[in-house]
Amino acid sequence: MSRQMHARRLEGIDKNIWVEFTQLAADYQAVNLGQGFPDFAPPKFLQEAFCKAVSGGGLMHQYTRAFGHPSLVTILAQLFGRLVGHEIQPLEDVLVTIGAYQALFCTFQALVDEGDEVIIIEPFFDCYQPMVKMAGGKQVYVPLRPRGGSNLSSGDWVLCAEELASKFTAKTKAIVINTPNNPTGKVYKTEELQVIADLCIKHDVVCISDEVYEWLTYDGAKHVKIASLAGMWERTVTIGSAGKTFSATGLKVGWAIGPSHLIKHLKTVHQNSVYHCPTAAQVAVAEGFQTEYDRLGHPESYFQQLPTLFTHKRNKLAACLESAGLRPTLPEGGYFMIADISSVSFDSDDSISQDEPLDYRFVKWLIKKKGLAAIPVSAFYSPEHGKEVQNYVRFCFTKEDSTLNAAEDILKKWASEK
Ligand code: PMP
Ligand code: GLN
């Protein structure tokens, strides 16, 4: 066939960091601190809820309501209504999706038109860029910049308010934010969200708020929902993930919550592409949320216990990266920690192309020669700005202690050889 088969909107988005580096880590049987998933089991109450749902009769294996199983949209509306401080209508304001990925996809397809500009804050979860492109939109980037100094925390990565304001034009349709942030771990403070909110209101722009790590904050950092700020509910789509909420990334249940005048357009995309999400998985997630709702704020809550567990894991990984000469930025939230590699040297060989950015070369070397997988941070930037951050790589710390110990052994051995 001589004619071009692919649609032009796919051009330049054929590479995917997860496909590439997850395969490389598997090929070299590396200790995997690359892809973000917990390598331990989800909580018992969630597993039991799933088993119960699967064996709960024939209807658990049939289609259910297109926009979300009734029990799931009901508890999501109840819980998030309480958090946002706004009554949420389960049948109008909630859409259940195949993971946060599909919630994001529906949002961009539904709200972004040809030529619309979408502001994306760098570093960003990589799929925002191809999703905006597939919707025909134009990405406009604005960076978080690290304040100078040593012993950085993710809170030291900040937006310049004037720079952000300068990106809003008559064509701006939406801004995407991600808090807690992947990859830095930044948890936006109310004042920072207020700057964004004021600009959204001033320019009549939609805010797409990716909050998949909302329950995971450390050292007293507090997750604030931008939808809870005055004037923001009616212009915000908040995205969540049961995979991240219950340490079960294979569940692929997610949601978009917002005012019905926005969500109804996401529903149009959803009903004509996916239609509905697996019934039993939704029922299990509904039950998981019901269990947590009843003990919210209590010590036995999984949403209380998980951040405590992850704080230990975060500190353990930070100490061991430091001992190998890497300089980690301590995250206030999420699954990940970025580390500065500029003070370490490594001898990349012919199997690693010298044309690639430093962080790509370093991670490939780390996987192939040391058996430890991470992710290059320039993958979370636009091609134009990736070069400026090629001194950083990302590690995932939400892993079994045995996995973190194996990583520590590798890093210690490397440090002793230097
Ligand atoms: N947003 C962010 C910031 C993520 O890190 C991820 C990866 N889990 C997603 C969205 C997609 O989530 P899901 O696995 O629920 O599709
Ligand atoms: N969100 C996860 C991460 O950032 C993985 C995404 C994926 O594997 N597609 O590591």
Side-chain angles (χ1 to χ4, degrees):
M1 274 183 142
S2 56
R3 72 191 284 196
Q4 174 179 304
M5 296 309 291
H6 68 268
R8 276 195 311 280
R9 64 180 169 275
L10 301 189
E11 279 165 13
I13 60 170
D14 51 331
K15 281 223 169 99
N16 178 286
I17 189 78
W18 313 113
V19 173
E20 181 181 0
F21 280 86
T22 303
Q23 188 59 52
L24 197 63
D27 289 348
Y28 285 83
Q29 296 179 357
V31 174
N32 195 354
L33 303 189
Q35 196 181 28
F37 65 93
D39 59 355
F40 48 84
K44 265 245 144 41
F45 68 90
L46 201 265
Q47 293 187 53
E48 283 167 6
F50 205 0
C51 292
K52 197 174 116 200
V54 167
S55 52
L59 286 182
M60 282 296 109
H61 300 277
Q62 305 304 334
Y63 289 130
T64 180
R65 182 174 169 270
F67 309 121
H69 191 74
S71 65
L72 182 54
V73 292
T74 301
I75 187 69
L76 285 172
Q78 208 178 332
L79 174 60
F80 287 97
R82 186 165 149 186
L83 299 176
V84 176
H86 189 284
E87 195 175 335
I88 294 178
Q89 301 302 328
L91 302 183
E92 307 292 328
D93 304 342
V94 182
L95 172 66
V96 175
T97 55
I98 307 285
Y101 262 108
Q102 197 224 333
L104 287 161
F105 188 77
C106 284
T107 308
F108 290 119
Q109 285 295 320
L111 305 181
V112 176
D113 230 336
E114 284 292 322
D116 282 349
E117 293 180 0
V118 177
I119 298 175
I120 300 178
I121 301 170
E122 293 177 308
F124 57 88
F125 182 52
D126 65 307
C127 74
Y128 305 159
Q129 187 260 341
M131 285 193 191
V132 171
K133 183 174 191 303
M134 283 188 277
K138 178 171 177 268
Q139 312 88 343
V140 175
Y141 299 103
V142 59
L144 290 173
R145 296 186 198 280
R147 278 195 283 246
S150 52
N151 298 328
L152 283 184
S153 137
S154 58
D156 294 316
W157 286 67
V158 288
L159 268 178
C160 165
E162 292 74 35
E163 192 176 10
L164 177 63
S166 76
K167 304 289 176 179
F168 281 74
T169 72
K171 289 191 177 158
T172 309
K173 186 66 174 290
I175 179 169
V176 194
I177 66 169
N178 172 214
T179 181
N181 179 254
N182 178 5
T184 61
K186 178 182 177 65
V187 177
Y188 284 71
K189 296 182 180 61
T190 306
E191 312 84 84
E192 295 176 301
L193 294 174
Q194 193 62 60
V195 170
I196 298 169
D198 289 345
L199 287 165
C200 286
I201 292 167
K202 179 172 170 197
H203 295 273
D204 198 12
V205 160
V206 172
C207 181
I208 302 166
S209 188
D210 180 343
E211 304 182 10
V212 300
Y213 303 103
E214 62 193 312
W215 301 103
L216 300 174
T217 58
Y218 316 121
D219 302 335
K222 198 172 166 317
H223 174 68
V224 179
K225 290 184 168 292
I226 196 164
S228 69
L229 303 187
M232 285 306 286
W233 162 258
E234 53 265 42
R235 58 179 64 258
T236 303
V237 176
T238 303
I239 309 275
S241 164
K244 296 292 145 61
T245 302
F246 294 109
S247 307
T249 58
L251 264 183
K252 293 303 291 186
V253 172
W255 52 86
I257 297 180
S260 59
H261 65 261
L262 295 179
I263 297 296
K264 72 177 182 192
H265 302 300
L266 278 63
K267 287 179 173 175
T268 304
V269 178
H270 181 79
Q271 76 197 4
N272 293 309
S273 52
V274 167
Y275 189 70
H276 94 129
C277 306
T279 307
Q282 293 190 63
V283 170
V285 171
E287 194 159 330
F289 268 123
Q290 190 62 61
T291 304
E292 280 301 299
Y293 188 84
D294 296 338
R295 61 189 186 193
L296 214 59
H298 291 277
E300 65 273 25
S301 162
Y302 189 65
F303 298 167
Q304 298 269 114
Q305 290 173 356
L306 198 58
T308 308
L309 176 73
F310 285 172
T311 302
H312 291 297
K313 293 182 185 295
R314 177 198 68 165
N315 295 348
K316 183 179 169 75
L317 182 64
C320 101
L321 292 176
E322 262 166 25
S323 68
L326 304 178
R327 292 205 306 269
T329 292
L330 211 61
E332 309 152 279
Y335 273 15
F336 310 106
M337 178 180 306
I338 59 171
D340 186 338
I341 57 169
S342 49
S343 52
V344 297
S345 58
F346 64 103
D347 36 303
S348 91
D349 63 17
D350 294 349
S351 71
I352 300 165
S353 162
Q354 296 304 308
D355 299 337
E356 295 198 78
L358 183 75
D359 55 347
Y360 274 72
R361 279 187 278 137
F362 178 79
V363 170
K364 288 185 176 177
W365 170 82
L366 196 62
I367 295 173
K368 292 180 178 185
K369 304 292 174 191
K370 301 291 167 195
L372 177 60
I375 299 289
V377 165
S378 59
F380 300 89
Y381 279 78
S382 57
E384 305 91 281
H385 301 150
K387 281 202 178 64
E388 294 159 26
V389 289
Q390 52 177 327
N391 285 340
Y392 288 97
V393 299
R394 189 199 82 172
F395 295 90
C396 175
F397 54 87
T398 62
K399 303 288 180 184
E400 284 281 12
D401 279 348
S402 58
T403 310
L404 295 174
N405 290 340
E408 185 174 15
D409 290 346
I410 291 170
L411 291 166
K412 276 200 173 135
K413 186 156 176 282
W414 173 38
S416 72
E417 287 162 1
K418 282 195 281 184

